[in-house]
Amino acid sequence: MNKKDVMLLIDGDLLCFQTSIAFQNKHPFIEGEFEYDSKLALRVLEQRIRLMMATFETGRIEFHFSCDRKKNWRRQLVESYKMNRNGKLTPIGLSSLISYVMSAYPYVKEGILEADDTLSIAATGKYKGNNIICSLDKDFLSINTKIWNWTKKILKTQSKKDAFRFFIYQIIIGDSADNFKGIKGIGKVGAAKFLAQQSKNLLNIWGPLCELGATKGHDEEYMLSQARMAHLLRDGDYNWDTQEIILWEPEMINNML
């Protein structure tokens, strides 16, 4: 990877959310009211952006933002996807920070895709081999790329095998943040044990994974729905003209390893 030419693919949802909420405080005298320092939030946002660019000595950045949550394609498959976030208050300054970024920097926002998908498509497509995803979201551990956690200041390189193992792990344990359940009754320890047992059988893991699900009353159709919730779209999985998505199938495992 040429450090000076590297493309920073920035999770705009998280960066703007984290920055806006940091400068939103309860009003000292009015119950239920909040104060927001918009100038300081914008200044800190710019500092964070500039710091990321300086860290990797690059001027190439691209922000990614999610579509409206109701239009998210995963909602068409599993209605409860991210429904646990409905009703939660949006930080006061979030929309203004997003508007600022969109006016000042290159960005991607696509009709039915969340930023996780557009970032993954970019990382596995036009910027493959020369990108760093900048995010705090653990879901990107399922992608074979480099991931920068700007809070912990950790750059992680995720191999194909480790990315695939994390994908299977997510299918098993589900994701409370995204509100899909995985295999009920099998937590992190059980998932790790299963992956250890199947370490030499990753190419053919779908059968044993479905058998594991069956022990808890889940059929293959359910397991497939959980896999599609966990799988971030890759380059070629989405038609930008027609908004058609190629859904994940077990046959895709060969290309993931």
Side-chain angles (χ1 to χ4, degrees):
M1 181 181 287
N2 187 331
K3 192 174 182 181
K4 293 187 182 300
D5 294 331
V6 67
M7 171 61 77
L8 301 184
L9 301 171
I10 302 177
D11 186 338
D13 291 343
L14 265 175
L15 184 62
C16 291
F17 181 89
Q18 185 191 55
T19 305
S20 61
I21 204 166
F23 296 97
Q24 174 179 294
N25 299 296
K26 290 184 178 180
H27 194 287
F29 305 115
I30 305 175
E31 183 69 26
E33 292 290 326
F34 291 86
E35 296 179 320
Y36 176 68
D37 192 330
S38 58
K39 291 183 179 179
L40 183 56
L42 182 57
R43 187 159 68 245
V44 169
L45 177 69
E46 264 297 333
Q47 288 173 349
R48 287 175 168 173
I49 295 169
R50 297 296 171 181
L51 179 59
M52 279 190 270
M53 295 167 68
T55 298
F56 298 103
E57 299 178 10
T58 183
R60 302 180 70 211
I61 62 172
E62 185 176 87
F63 281 85
H64 288 247
F65 294 98
S66 293
C67 66
D68 184 283
R69 196 174 297 156
K70 294 179 181 178
K71 297 178 180 178
N72 190 317
W73 69 272
R74 288 182 177 84
R75 280 254 176 114
Q76 308 307 312
L77 301 180
V78 176
E79 189 176 355
S80 62
Y81 184 74
K82 290 192 174 179
M83 285 285 284
N84 55 332
R85 303 185 187 187
N86 287 353
K88 292 187 177 181
L89 294 177
T90 300
I92 295 171
L94 180 59
S95 60
S96 63
L97 289 186
I98 291 175
S99 295
Y100 167 75
V101 170
M102 288 182 171
S103 67
Y105 294 100
Y107 74 92
V108 174
K109 183 177 181 181
E110 178 61 11
I112 63 171
L113 302 185
E114 54 188 304
D116 288 14
D117 289 316
T118 59
L119 284 160
S120 177
I121 290 169
T124 58
K126 60 181 176 178
Y127 302 123
K128 183 177 181 179
N130 198 34
N131 74 87
I132 297 172
I133 292 178
C134 303
S135 180
L136 314 180
D137 192 335
K138 69 182 185 310
D139 292 350
F140 294 114
L141 292 174
S142 65
I143 301 296
N144 169 217
T145 189
K146 293 181 182 291
I147 306 149
W148 172 247
N149 183 313
W150 63 72
T151 298
K152 296 181 179 179
K153 295 181 172 55
I154 294 174
L155 179 64
K156 183 174 181 59
T157 301
Q158 194 74 335
S159 69
K160 268 191 171 185
K161 184 176 180 180
D162 285 343
F164 180 74
R165 285 171 56 86
F166 186 80
F167 166 61
I168 298 298
Y169 178 81
Q170 286 290 92
I171 296 172
I172 296 171
I173 70 166
D175 190 330
S176 59
D178 290 341
N179 204 32
F180 65 94
K181 307 303 182 182
I183 301 176
K184 60 185 179 184
I186 299 181
K188 296 179 180 179
V189 174
K193 182 179 179 181
F194 173 79
L195 281 164
Q197 292 170 342
Q198 299 294 324
S199 61
K200 296 181 180 179
N201 187 44
L202 294 180
L203 280 172
N204 301 300
I205 200 171
W206 183 248
L209 184 60
C210 288
E211 290 173 6
L212 181 67
T215 65
K216 300 298 182 179
H218 301 308
D219 59 17
E220 185 170 5
E221 184 179 353
Y222 173 84
M223 295 302 296
L224 192 57
S225 73
Q226 299 306 290
R228 288 170 175 171
M229 294 302 99
H231 182 254
L232 301 186
L233 298 181
R234 308 301 205 266
D235 181 51
D237 288 344
Y238 181 71
N239 186 315
W240 295 85
D241 296 322
T242 65
Q243 293 191 331
E244 291 178 293
I245 289 169
I246 297 175
L247 296 175
W248 187 86
E249 296 287 350
E251 292 77 16
M252 294 179 178
I253 289 175
N254 284 337
N255 294 327
M256 297 175 72
L257 285 169

